[in-house]
Amino acid sequence: MKKYSIILLACLLATPAFAQDPVKIGMVTTLSTKAGYLGEDIRDGFQLAVDQESGKLGGIAVDLMVEDDGRKPEKGKQIAERFIKKDKAQILTGIVFSNVAMAVVPKVVRQDVVYLSTNAAPSKLAGKGCNSNYFSVSYQNDNLDEVVGKYVSEAGHKS
């Protein structure tokens, strides 16, 4: 969780307006379905960091809003849009799955909202698809599949 605090602090210090009011952070994550435990861990870990700092991260007050995307890209988009337009979230985070990230992140970062990726980090959001408002705090998660695919191909397997 220390990694989150450092990245968040760097983002916050770059914008003086954040220092006065609580920073609104919208967490779009998977809390339902069989994979809900992943989103629960992300939510609980993030909340623990906020709680340990008495409602702050990096010394700045935080207002954390959490919603379940149900592992559905369209639902994730709707939640993100509401967080940004209605709730005035300045930072979004929490997406577990790459298909949801690909539906949500490009539009979010184009709206000048910071996105901190806790898990989903598809290669399409790196390189040419990179945006200065996007930060992956995990790893580019399609690399593992690429390596396995190469190994299987080199081993002569056809399927």
Side-chain angles (χ1 to χ4, degrees), residues 1-147:
M1 292 305 8
K2 196 170 192 173
K3 187 187 294 185
Y4 286 121
S5 296
I6 292 168
I7 292 172
L8 184 59
L9 178 61
C11 294
L12 298 176
L13 291 178
T15 308
F18 284 152
Q20 291 137 13
D21 296 324
V23 174
K24 292 187 176 189
I25 301 175
M27 180 175 286
V28 180
T29 196
T30 302
L31 298 170
S32 58
T33 76
K34 290 181 181 180
Y37 68 95
L38 296 166
E40 289 171 2
D41 283 351
I42 291 168
R43 177 201 59 205
D44 295 349
F46 202 99
Q47 188 62 58
L48 178 62
V50 173
D51 291 347
Q52 286 180 335
E53 297 295 322
S54 302
K56 296 180 179 184
L57 286 176
I60 298 169
V62 170
D63 178 10
L64 180 63
M65 304 167 286
V66 181
E67 288 283 334
D68 177 22
D69 62 28
R71 201 173 171 185
K72 296 177 182 169
E74 192 57 40
K75 188 172 181 185
K77 283 171 51 175
Q78 292 169 354
I79 295 166
E81 196 64 27
R82 186 180 75 247
F83 277 158
I84 293 168
K85 288 190 176 180
K86 183 179 177 234
D87 300 317
K88 306 297 184 209
Q90 298 142 307
I91 298 171
L92 292 185
T93 190
I95 296 175
V96 177
F97 294 96
S98 294
N99 62 326
V100 178
M102 288 308 301
V104 173
V105 173
K107 187 172 182 182
V108 166
V109 296
R110 283 194 306 266
Q111 294 181 67
D112 207 28
V113 173
V114 171
Y115 186 84
L116 299 174
S117 183
T118 54
N119 185 66
S123 60
K124 290 183 180 180
L125 296 175
K128 290 180 184 178
C130 186
N131 184 291
S132 60
N133 289 330
Y134 175 76
F135 299 88
S136 174
V137 295
S138 61
Y139 59 97
Q140 190 171 315
N141 55 358
D142 48 10
N143 287 350
L144 299 174
D145 298 325
E146 291 171 0
V147 170

